[in-house]
Amino acid sequence: MARIHISLDELANALEDHCFFTHYYLDRETSEIIIQSENDLSEREEIVGEIESPFPVYDDGERYIPIEPMESRRGLDIMESFAESVEDGETRRRLLGALSRKKPFRSFKDVLYDYPDLGERWRATNRVIINTIAEEWLKYNRIDIELIPSGGGVK
């Protein structure tokens, strides 16, 4: 099978998306990342009536590979590591405190909102880590790939 080109950004976004009604698949032949949303299904039902099979079968294991989101715990660990790297004690305390709240992901982002420069640093750091996780996922699934990094050129 020839090498395929995959958008690193699209794969990373799929690995980070914990929305329970959205499902992602990688098409090994086209390198397309297929997004299925149960919300789309509801809209289709309203338009055409009852649908027998809500989604095409994308789980045959040969051509289509389900992209499961990384574990939430791993995301929390990434945020905690970042928070611990923050030099300013008060900011570090606020970020770590956000991670112990009821909605840690939202709380963490809310704290970063108060620190635009730090928020930008977080997004850049997180993207590098998520891209590494995406590359590990591809290797684990034995996919011979060429990644298309942010900006579009082939890597």
Side-chain angles (χ1 to χ4, degrees):
M1 186 179 286
R3 291 178 68 111
I4 59 175
H5 304 281
I6 297 174
S7 166
L8 187 56
D9 284 342
E10 287 182 27
L11 180 57
N13 289 337
L15 290 166
E16 278 192 296
D17 188 349
H18 286 86
C19 182
F20 69 92
F21 55 82
T22 303
H23 310 281
Y24 295 85
Y25 299 87
L26 172 64
D27 182 336
R28 285 183 191 251
E29 290 181 17
T30 67
S31 74
E32 177 184 15
I33 294 181
I34 299 163
I35 303 169
Q36 294 181 328
S37 171
E38 293 175 21
N39 284 344
D40 293 342
L41 173 61
S42 298
E43 290 173 13
R44 277 187 270 155
E45 283 178 334
E46 289 175 18
I47 295 169
V48 296
E50 190 172 328
I51 297 174
E52 281 182 35
S53 176
F55 299 120
V57 177
Y58 287 127
D59 60 359
D60 65 6
E62 294 295 321
R63 179 172 175 179
Y64 302 101
I65 301 172
I67 303 171
E68 299 295 331
M70 68 176 181
E71 294 180 7
S72 295
R73 179 73 246 167
R74 192 166 188 186
L76 287 170
D77 289 345
I78 293 167
M79 290 188 295
E80 184 175 6
S81 178
F82 177 82
E84 289 173 349
S85 76
V86 173
E87 292 180 17
D88 178 66
E90 176 62 20
T91 305
R92 181 177 50 249
R93 185 192 63 71
R94 286 189 66 202
L95 287 169
L96 290 170
L99 296 175
S100 64
R101 292 192 191 117
K102 188 172 184 175
K103 295 184 176 185
F105 291 91
R106 177 77 260 153
S107 297
F108 187 83
K109 289 177 183 176
D110 287 346
V111 171
L112 286 174
Y113 184 78
D114 294 336
Y115 306 95
D117 291 343
L118 188 60
E120 193 144 325
R121 188 175 119 205
W122 157 249
R123 286 184 292 282
T125 300
N126 187 53
R127 182 53 57 190
V128 168
I129 294 166
I130 298 303
N131 287 351
T132 300
I133 291 169
E135 290 173 353
E136 291 170 359
W137 183 88
L138 291 164
K139 286 176 187 169
Y140 175 81
N141 284 286
R142 289 182 243 119
I143 300 170
D144 189 18
I145 50 95
E146 287 187 56
L147 293 172
I148 302 171
S150 302
V154 175
K155 180 177 174 182

